[in-house]
Structures are given as structure tokens and as C-alpha cells.
Amino acid sequence: MSLELPAVAAYSPLLANLNPEQRAAVTLPEGHALILAGAGSGKTRVLTTRIAWLLQTGQVSPGGILAVTFTNKAAKEMLTRLSAMLPINVRGMWIGTFHGLCNRFLRAHWKLAGLPATFQILDTQDQLSAIKRLMKQHNVDDERFPAKETQWFIAGAKEDGLRPRDVEIRRDDDRKRVELYQLYEEQCQREGVVDFGELMLRSYELLRDNDAVREHYQRRFRHLLVDEFQDTNRLQYAWLKMLAGNTVDGRFVPGGNSVLAVGDDDQSIYAFRGARVGNMADFVREFHVDHQIKLEQNYRSFSNILDSANHLIDHNTQRLGKNLRTDQGPGEPVRVYESPTDFAEAQWVVEEMRQLVRENGIERKEIAVLYRSNAQSRVLETALFNAGVPYRVYGGLRFFERAEIKHALAYLRLLENKEDDTSFLRVVNFPPRGIGARTIEQLQDAARSAGTSLHAAVGAVSGKAGANLAAFVARLDVLREQTQGISLREIIELVLQHSGLVEHYRAEREGADRVENLEELVNAAESFVTQEGFGRDAVALPVDELRQSAASQGIDTSQPLIDEALVAPDAETGETLSPLAAFLTHAALESGDNQAQPGQDAVQLMTVHAAKGLEFDCVFITGLEDGIFPHENSMSDRESLEEERRLMYVAITRARQRLYLTHSQTRLLHGKTRYNLRSRFFEELPESALKWLTPARAGFGAGSSSYERSSWGGQRAGGAGGWNYDRDSLAGAPVPPQKAAPAHGLRSGMQVFHNKFGEGTVLALEGTGDDARAQVKFGRHGVKWLALAVAKLTPI
DNA sequence: CACATGCCCCTTTTT
DNA sequence: GGGGCATGTG
């Protein structure tokens, strides 16, 4: 790889302030390339500068760029940065999420994809309720086949690019699951809806099976750029391969397309939803990648923090290999704090952060508290609330996922698509209008035997209930009439009024927030139409202009143009998507912010997953206990433990200046007190970077503690540390508050023998005395909870 | 048919 | 501990 730059490069302000590796990445020649970009190494900057560079040097026109990200946020950021760099119209570029781009593609080619023009998108909730409905209809035992599991199965199959007929049947139950998958597909097709996986899979199949379409897009996109490549699943990889095309035996051909993949195998934390780090290695092999560049210079953290991250991740075996370095000094040590209870832990964290704000002048929004799972936020929130510290919790319900919003959207969807049974069922009796379960059952039976949608079957139900149904449908029909030719804003206002939703929530005691949210929906629609991009996506460019540019690309213009640039869903008529349909799509693809209160200087609370891509001056990683982090379900096999370690790596690398690691001896979880050992990850951090604020207990084979009791007697802020256990108990298992060490002497991670189940690994311990239980994973018999008073477990 | 009570489950998350 | 869901009662 040469670092020599084209002559113009040296003068381009775009390249100023880039380090040699970043510059090499930005100015890469044509060909496939993989950028291994460590945390805080300026990855987004490289990606956007690369696009700007390609455009500025005239190597490609905006229409030849396709850049794909995982989140809307990342896509938006890329667009914003790009328009700040170059005075160009970003309109011609395809920049967005995988699903967003697939949606755009399917809107342009709905007919070829076998979809109705008004197809709507099911989110995860909708998908689950569609599956439940299906299972009920086919009398599937939901004990044996939980709907969630079926959903998981279907989504997983699609992520691997598998249709029902392609799924390999490994277990007896799979036969039924595949059957359900098949039925589910038929149901979605009948109702004109697609789930997230379907957006990807349909697009992929259309590209695969339609030569004209594939060749068209292959000719168009000369540069494909992929962010967070380590998070791509099998299907996304295959999709990319289809688009890349222009290769012989997978090798890049000069004049063909170039794929630039940017990723970090150490930050791959989404295997549980189908992400495949292996795509990185496959990419290098199958695309015969010409250029690999590592970005290892970290601009974010002091070296104590970075050393900790490097040291930890070094314990993973499956790595491409990469070590972050920084020019910044060691900075502050990584502080470790142990508390007796989760409550005390939270109090200590709050007290410590108040000091940070008061004495160190740190802004509250520069402080993040991270945890492994959402359930842990509660105790932290309580402590923050009691202390009067402003905070903001990420995660939880987003705007478009709120029940009242989903209700309103269901009415709107029914205006667009009468066949949408999921939406029909959601609102047929909401607000209540005398249509009960019996009636709905009757209606479903009628619809099934006639092979129609619920909407079409309404006439088949007689009596009072039938009249109610007819009135409901009539009301929808009237609304549909009334909403012709009026603005999106007016449509929504009308629907809110005439559906009775606002009225219903006004009458409810706790309904004020919901009414407010419904009003907010009007605003959301308004800003969607004006700024957000309905205009961008749906306004057709002049057809003459298009034909000209198409002709110059050597595309046959005697046929109707197949190109989203027309953006009209129907390429023949030039008809565009209605603002309402576009808005509904937007609502499904972008679930919206949670409780946006920007501007306020508040402490940030979130899961480690949610923190990926963010950075803060000060970071607290809490609940660092075996069974919590690493999570108990991920402790038993190496692969998932390695993912937990990567998760910890992500958490550590969020911090710029100060990092705190806290753990608690006891924790209230699911209403029960659990005694957890300090996380095994502590043993994987460099001692030299750590400062133990509380005595380092002996864990996992470490030597005895060197702590002197007088050195800490609870003098830390908040006085929360005052649990005076004695020195002897420090070397043993976790100490219950009654100071009675558990008699069983088991610790998680221990190998044990059971007379019936054989050898196993202790995953978790719970309770004391006669109530003590252990969760053990056995080879043949799986994971079991055992009462220690009964089960005879012998340590091996 | 609407509302209340009991029961079961319980990673991580984006689209 | 708490939310979602199924079942029971007015």
C-alpha cells in the first residue's frame, strides 16, 4: 500500500489535519478496501471525507455514491457533515440505513417485487401481534411454540436470507416453525405488509433475479461505502455483493465498482441479532481486498483508559488484531469501587458525580452511567431523583412506539390500505365501541372462509355487533373520502378528531400525556413534510433530465426508466407516493427519539449497547458482577463470553478522561436478592491503571487482599461504604449481609459434579441457607436451577 | 362487553 | 418489581 498522494491532495483542505493512515484511507485508489477502525480513531470522519474527496476530485458524481449505515442517526450525521464539507446537493446520493435504502428501492420497484404500491412496514411489535394472531387462527399450542420464539425464528431465517423452503430442519419442532413461517409470509402478502427482514430480503431477491434491475444499479453505484461492517448479517453482505457486481470471480475489475468497508471486529456486539463478524474476513477473501488500513491512533482517551481496553480485549482469541495507542498521557487512574448493595452503589455514583460537577467543573451531560441491562437503571434513577440531579435515560419507549401513537398510525394506515388486518384489529374497538372478542372471532372466521381481509368481511356479521362493525368501517370510509386532497397535517388532525382517540384520552385520568403526544404527532408530520425529507425522497426530478443522464450512462431509454431517481413508485405513470404513505413509512423506519429534552444539562443513563458510538468525559460502568456483566446467559460458552468482553471494551472506550468501574456484593433482581461475585473482567485489566477505592477482594485465584481496614472505613463520599465485614471473609465467596458466609462454598464459574446430570459449570448463585440455589449448566442436560439443600454438588 | 384481579416472565437493540 | 396477558366477575 502506498501513501503517495495525488498532486492535488496536498492542497486539498479536506485532507488537512488527517493522520497518514486516515489520509491513505480517504485517498485510496479504486478497488475494494477494508478499514479496521478502532474506537475513537476518527472513523466517521474518514468515511465522510472519503465521499467528499471522491466527489471533489471528480472521480464520481453524487449519483454514483451509495453509503450505508445501521442507524438513522449515523446516516443523518454523515449527511450533515458532508454538506458542511462540500457545497453539493446531496440529493443524488443514496445515503441511509440498510432498511431505509431497501425501502426506497422497493418503493421504486414495488411491482417487480410483487408488492402493492402502498405496502406498509411492520415494526417488531406489529410483527409479534401478527404472529400471535396467526398462531391463534391455526390453533398452534403457544406453550410449545411461544410467539416470541416463532418471531425469533422467522427473523433469524430472513437475516440468513432463507425462505421457508430453504430452512434446514434440524429439530422436530423446526418443521412446525417453518410451516408457521410459510403461513406468516402468506398472511403478510395478503395484507400488503412487510417486516424489517422482508425489506432486505425482497430487495436482495429482486437484485438477484432481475438482470435488468441489477445491472442498472451496478452501473450506477460506483462507490459503495459501508459503516459498522462488523454488524452486518449474512443477508446484508449478500445484498452488498449483488450491488457491487462488476467483478470477475469476485475480484475487482478496473472500471468496476469499489466497496469500502469500515468496521471494528472488537466492537461487534450484535451477534445476538444475526450480525456476523465473519463477514469481515469473508469480505477480504471473496472480494480479494486490495487495501487494508488500520486506524489505531485514538484521539479520545488517556492511556490508562486505553490500556485497560487493550489489555481486556487481548483476552479474546478471535481477533483480527489491532492495538489502540494515544499520544495523551496516562491521565487519571481507572477507579474501582465496591459497594455492599446496589442501592449503595447508586448512591455512591450519584455522590461522586455531584463532586465531579461541583469541584471539577464537569458538565452533567458529559457524565454517563452505563449498565448491562435496562433493569439496572431503576435504582440509579431513584438515587438521582432523590438527590435532585437532572438525568436522562436512553432506551425504553420511543415516540412512534407509544400505544396512543400506534393507535393513531393504525387509523392512518387503514386509510392507505384497507387490507391491513393488524391495524384493523388494533383499533376496531379502540376507543371501545361495543365490538368484543366474540364479534371479532366471528369476523375473522368469515374473512378466513371467504379468503378476504377483515375489512371486506364486515358484511358477514349480523346483529347488533355487525351494525357496530359496519359503523366502524363506514366511519373509515368517510374519513378516507374526506382526506382526499387535503394536507398531511389536516389529515392527521381530522383522524385524531373523528377516530375518537383524543376524546377518549381526554376523559382518562392519566390521559393528558397521551393527548399531548397525539398533538405532537401533528407536529412530527408537519416537520416531516417541510424539512425532513418527504420532499427529498418523493419529488420526481424532471423526466427529461433523467432520460438525458440515463442515456449518457448508456442506459436504454426506450423502456420506462427503472431508477428511484424518478422516485415515483410507479415508473410508468410517474405517480408519487402520497405524503401520508411516505410519512407512515418514515414512522415505521424511524422510531423517533425517546423523550427529547435536548439543551438540558443532564446526566446520561443508558445500556452499554446504546452507548456505542458515543463518548463522554466521565463514564461510570456499573453492576460489574459475574452474572450481570458478563450476563449469566453468556458466561458458559467462549463465543458469547467474548461478545460480552467486546461489550465491556466498548464501554471502557467511551470515556475520555475519567472512568469508574463499580460493582456490588448484592443486587435486587426480579424482586430477589442475589449475591454476585466481582466481574471476571476485573482480572483482565492492568493493575497499574487501576485505583481501588475499596479493598480489592480476592477473586478468581488472585492473591489475598492487601487492604488495610483503616484506609477506607467508609470515608468515601456519601458514606455508603459502611459495611464492615471482617478480613477473613474477604477471601471467600460473596458475603451476605448477615455475615454468614454461605456454607456450600460454591462460586460461579466453578466446575461441579452432579450424580445424575454429570459435570457442569456453576453459572449463578442465589439465596442463602436452605434457600440457596445454584444455576448450573450441564453438558447433556442443559441449564438447571438446583436447590443446594437437596442437590448434591461436588466441586471438581 | 368492560373492568379488575391474578399469573408468568424476565438480556442486549435497530430497522 | 412490574408489565403484559389471560381469566373471572359485574
Side-chain angles (χ1 to χ4, degrees):
Chain A
M1 178 196 73
S2 159
L3 290 187
E4 210 170 298
L5 305 175
V8 58
Y11 302 101
S12 172
L14 283 178
L15 303 180
N17 301 321
L18 293 180
N19 69 31
E21 291 82 23
Q22 292 175 328
R23 192 175 297 193
V26 165
T27 60
L28 277 167
E30 288 191 337
H32 303 311
L34 176 69
I35 311 294
L36 264 177
S41 64
K43 175 194 64 153
T44 312
R45 183 154 178 230
V46 164
L47 213 42
T48 47
T49 314
R50 167 74 175 168
I51 296 174
W53 168 260
L54 289 170
L55 296 169
Q56 199 189 46
T57 53
Q59 298 178 59
V60 69
S61 65
I65 297 272
L66 181 139
V68 55
T69 62
F70 269 84
T71 63
N72 291 301
K73 204 171 130 200
K76 218 173 276 175
E77 175 159 349
M78 204 182 278
L79 275 171
T80 314
R81 286 212 204 179
L82 206 51
S83 34
M85 277 182 199
L86 283 182
I88 52 143
N89 191 345
V90 292
R91 212 174 260 198
M93 288 187 270
W94 272 36
I95 295 186
T97 62
F98 275 103
H99 295 87
L101 296 183
C102 285
N103 173 58
R104 205 194 271 197
F105 176 77
L106 292 177
R107 293 285 168 199
H109 305 296
W110 56 273
K111 215 177 263 178
L112 291 174
L115 290 169
T118 57
F119 74 85
Q120 285 297 322
I121 300 165
L122 294 186
D123 67 15
T124 316
Q125 281 176 46
D126 299 333
Q127 188 189 30
L128 186 64
S129 67
I131 289 170
K132 281 183 181 161
R133 177 158 50 89
L134 180 88
M135 298 201 2
K136 209 170 226 171
Q137 203 169 75
H138 292 272
N139 296 317
V140 180
D141 179 6
D142 59 355
E143 294 268 292
R144 201 162 150 213
F145 298 97
K148 269 252 173 72
E149 227 167 68
T150 309
Q151 182 183 30
W152 182 258
F153 180 83
I154 293 173
K158 290 190 182 186
E159 278 156 5
D160 284 346
L162 304 174
R163 289 294 178 192
R165 64 175 171 281
D166 307 319
V167 177
E168 185 194 342
I169 300 200
R170 293 206 199 109
R171 309 174 4 195
D172 232 20
D173 286 357
D174 285 353
R175 215 171 302 279
K176 190 77 193 169
R177 293 201 179 90
V178 169
E179 191 187 314
L180 287 167
Y181 179 10
Q182 178 68 39
L183 290 167
Y184 168 76
E185 280 208 328
E186 287 161 14
Q187 177 177 289
C188 288
Q189 188 65 29
R190 200 166 49 240
E191 296 173 9
V193 293
V194 298
D195 60 38
F196 290 128
E198 190 68 24
L199 282 173
M200 280 300 322
L201 188 49
R202 280 275 171 137
S203 306
Y204 165 73
E205 288 170 342
L206 181 53
L207 285 171
R208 183 192 60 193
D209 301 337
N210 190 312
D211 296 344
V213 171
R214 183 181 61 254
E215 282 161 19
H216 173 82
Y217 285 97
Q218 285 179 349
R219 217 171 290 136
R220 177 180 165 170
F221 296 123
R222 314 318 305 262
H223 285 274
L224 304 144
L225 303 97
V226 195
D227 195 10
E228 307 278 16
F229 193 72
Q230 76 282 353
D231 287 337
T232 50
N233 61 37
R234 273 209 150 81
L235 178 57
Q236 286 159 338
Y237 181 79
W239 180 86
L240 201 65
K241 222 169 155 183
M242 274 302 155
L243 274 179
N246 291 28
T247 51
V248 175
D249 294 335
R251 182 180 283 281
F252 175 76
V253 177
N257 301 328
S258 304
V259 178
L260 179 77
V262 181
D264 180 359
D265 55 322
D266 291 333
Q267 292 189 69
S268 155
I269 55 175
Y270 286 108
F272 70 90
R273 64 171 202 223
R276 231 184 128 257
V277 211
N279 284 352
M280 297 181 86
D282 287 0
F283 174 62
V284 172
R285 196 180 62 249
E286 295 181 5
F287 284 66
H288 300 90
V289 163
D290 311 284
H291 311 280
Q292 281 197 61
I293 296 176
K294 288 183 187 176
L295 303 180
E296 299 179 300
Q297 180 76 30
N298 173 289
Y299 296 96
R300 183 182 292 160
S301 315
F302 284 98
S303 70
N304 274 333
I305 294 170
L306 219 49
D307 288 349
S308 301
N310 283 333
H311 223 275
L312 175 93
I313 202 65
D314 209 32
H315 288 79
N316 273 5
T317 55
Q318 307 283 323
R319 293 184 67 210
L320 296 176
K322 184 172 48 44
N323 225 22
L324 288 175
R325 53 173 194 273
T326 176
D327 291 339
Q328 303 194 56
E332 314 227 4
V334 174
R335 293 168 166 83
V336 183
Y337 181 80
E338 173 184 38
S339 67
T341 67
D342 52 344
F343 184 75
E345 178 190 37
Q347 281 204 317
W348 183 82
V349 167
V350 170
E351 193 48 50
E352 188 71 18
M353 64 175 63
R354 290 175 84 173
Q355 277 189 27
L356 288 172
V357 172
R358 217 180 314 129
E359 288 163 30
N360 304 50
I362 307 264
E363 285 183 282
R364 274 190 287 271
K365 66 171 160 49
E366 281 301 334
I367 302 177
V369 188
L370 309 184
Y371 34 82
R372 175 65 178 83
S373 64
N374 280 311
Q376 290 164 249
S377 79
R378 180 155 226 93
V379 62
L380 290 160
E381 284 185 71
T382 310
L384 284 161
F385 183 84
N386 289 339
V389 178
Y391 65 92
R392 183 181 165 183
V393 188
Y394 284 75
L397 221 47
R398 332 275 277 295
F399 182 72
F400 286 116
E401 291 167 359
R402 292 169 185 279
E404 64 275 19
I405 298 300
K406 295 221 63 157
H407 282 131
L409 292 174
Y411 279 99
L412 292 166
R413 286 166 76 138
L414 284 170
L415 297 187
E416 277 290 316
N417 175 9
K418 300 179 190 182
E419 325 280 300
D420 186 342
D421 285 355
T422 302
S423 296
F424 188 98
L425 289 170
R426 177 179 273 276
V427 292
V428 64
N429 196 36
F430 195 93
R433 46 174 74 89
I435 301 169
R438 271 310 293 267
T439 312
I440 289 169
E441 229 164 81
Q442 262 177 285
L443 179 64
Q444 283 177 308
D445 284 346
R448 191 167 1 142
S449 53
T452 65
S453 65
L454 297 173
H455 167 273
V458 159
V461 181
S462 54
K464 189 153 175 266
N468 286 341
L469 270 175
F472 169 68
V473 169
R475 179 174 280 213
L476 283 178
D477 289 339
V478 170
L479 269 173
R480 197 175 294 112
E481 273 303 307
Q482 289 175 326
T483 52
Q484 300 302 315
I486 64 175
S487 73
L488 180 58
R489 181 198 184 92
E490 291 164 329
I491 294 175
I492 295 178
E493 281 172 343
L494 202 71
V495 165
L496 289 184
Q497 269 174 34
H498 291 296
S499 62
L501 280 177
V502 170
E503 211 180 333
H504 172 81
Y505 286 123
R506 280 236 172 84
E508 228 176 40
R509 261 167 303 149
E510 311 273 311
D513 281 355
R514 296 183 187 270
V515 173
E516 223 169 86
N517 283 329
L518 286 173
E519 280 158 7
E520 189 54 38
L521 183 65
V522 179
N523 294 332
E526 187 77 2
S527 66
F528 171 71
V529 170
T530 52
Q531 11 153 335
E532 184 58 39
F534 166 63
R536 189 181 67 228
D537 271 8
V539 171
L541 298 176
V543 173
D544 291 351
E545 206 177 292
L546 256 172
R547 291 190 169 261
Q548 245 175 25
S549 90
S552 72
Q553 286 176 51
I555 294 169
D556 178 11
T557 52
S558 62
Q559 299 292 313
L561 291 180
I562 39 174
D563 193 305
E564 82 308 328
L566 279 170
V567 176
D570 188 327
E572 280 154 54
T573 64
E575 189 188 347
T576 61
L577 214 53
S578 76
L580 176 56
F583 178 63
L584 290 172
T585 298
H586 165 81
L589 285 178
E590 211 171 321
S591 31
D593 257 334
N594 314 334
Q595 57 267 56
Q597 286 163 323
Q600 206 200 6
D601 185 26
V603 170
Q604 315 279 305
L605 268 63
M606 65 192 87
T607 63
V608 182
H609 282 93
K612 187 170 168 206
L614 306 177
E615 54 182 275
F616 307 91
D617 286 343
C618 303
V619 170
F620 291 82
I621 308 175
T622 64
L624 279 167
E625 295 134 40
D626 265 15
I628 303 289
F629 196 177
H631 195 276
E632 60 183 346
N633 297 358
S634 307
M635 285 180 6
S636 44
D637 67 290
R638 202 196 64 206
E639 272 188 25
S640 48
L641 184 64
E642 293 208 348
E643 176 144 324
E644 294 287 310
R645 195 175 282 115
R646 291 193 291 270
L647 200 50
M648 180 67 183
Y649 175 80
V650 167
I652 292 174
T653 51
R654 297 310 96 195
R656 292 195 196 101
Q657 298 168 11
R658 256 189 202 235
L659 177 64
Y660 294 88
L661 310 176
T662 71
H663 65 107
S664 170
Q665 294 171 344
T666 66
R667 182 170 299 275
L668 206 57
L669 199 69
H670 306 320
K672 283 196 177 113
T673 302
R674 302 185 16 152
Y675 305 94
N676 296 317
L677 280 182
R678 191 170 77 201
S679 171
R680 55 189 64 190
F681 293 148
F682 280 107
E683 320 304 324
E684 302 175 359
L685 298 174
E687 195 58 43
S688 59
L690 305 183
K691 179 178 178 182
W692 301 83
L693 302 178
T694 37
R697 280 191 296 135
F700 278 86
S704 66
S705 159
S706 61
Y707 117 91
E708 293 297 325
R709 182 190 262 183
S710 57
S711 72
W712 76 292
Q715 87 279 30
R716 286 299 301 180
W723 169 359
N724 292 324
Y725 43 68
D726 58 45
R727 186 192 271 263
D728 285 345
S729 66
L730 293 177
V735 188
Q738 307 83 355
K739 286 198 198 178
H744 52 68
L746 295 178
R747 293 189 306 196
S748 54
M750 225 176 219
Q751 299 292 315
V752 290
F753 184 80
H754 184 277
N755 278 339
K756 191 144 173 229
F757 303 133
E759 290 182 20
T761 313
V762 179
L763 298 181
L765 295 159
E766 198 182 273
T768 49
D770 282 351
D771 292 335
R773 302 193 305 150
Q775 189 187 33
V776 185
K777 185 187 167 85
F778 295 100
R780 279 183 53 112
H781 295 88
V783 178
K784 298 191 181 301
W785 275 101
L786 302 168
L788 295 177
V790 185
K792 293 281 167 281
L793 289 177
T794 9
I796 309 174

